Amino acid sequence: MVVEGIVFAVKGIILTECLTRAARTWELFDGIRSHAKKLDFFRRLLDCFECTSVWVGAFVVAYLVYFELEFITWALLFATLARYLHTFYEYLDACRSVKEGEL
């Protein structure tokens, strides 16, 4: 039971970050975002990462509890973790470049 709770929390956190970033930055949602931002509430909501993540987090909990589609869940988890790994490798490359430049 404890392990299931930890898995639920980790999946929820990663999905919330992924979907918050999607709602705020992915070009795929530019049209929807531009229409939503015409309303003051949604403009303020989407301009604030923390505000957006609260609402996305509520959606993610409902999604995971009531109607999870595991294929979509795992696809988003893998995509997000791959982006983190890519960012980490870019950081390592930048550190190596700086170190080689200093030698």
Side-chain angles (χ1 to χ4, degrees):
M1 179 118 174
V2 172
V3 172
E4 293 164 350
I6 293 170
V7 170
F8 181 87
V10 170
K11 283 184 355 182
I13 291 165
I14 295 171
L15 286 173
T16 299
E17 193 280 332
C18 176
L19 295 175
T20 300
R21 186 174 303 278
R24 296 186 73 239
T25 63
W26 287 5
E27 288 181 29
L28 176 66
F29 300 114
D30 280 351
I32 295 169
R33 195 169 35 254
S34 68
H35 286 299
K37 281 190 165 190
K38 291 178 183 175
L39 299 171
D40 187 51
F41 172 78
F42 290 110
R43 182 185 50 74
R44 291 186 307 157
L45 177 73
L46 290 168
D47 286 345
C48 169
F49 185 88
E50 292 170 350
C51 302
T52 306
S53 67
V54 168
W55 291 95
V56 170
F59 168 79
V60 166
V61 169
Y63 166 76
L64 291 174
V65 170
Y66 295 113
F67 57 96
E68 178 181 12
L69 300 172
E70 287 197 24
F71 172 79
I72 292 173
T73 300
W74 287 107
L76 291 172
L77 290 174
F78 287 156
T80 302
L81 293 174
R83 183 175 46 80
Y84 289 153
L85 189 60
H86 175 75
T87 302
F88 178 69
Y89 282 137
E90 285 182 336
Y91 172 76
L92 290 178
D93 284 343
C95 289
R96 186 176 56 233
S97 295
V98 168
K99 189 173 182 178
E100 288 172 357
E102 291 176 356
L103 296 177

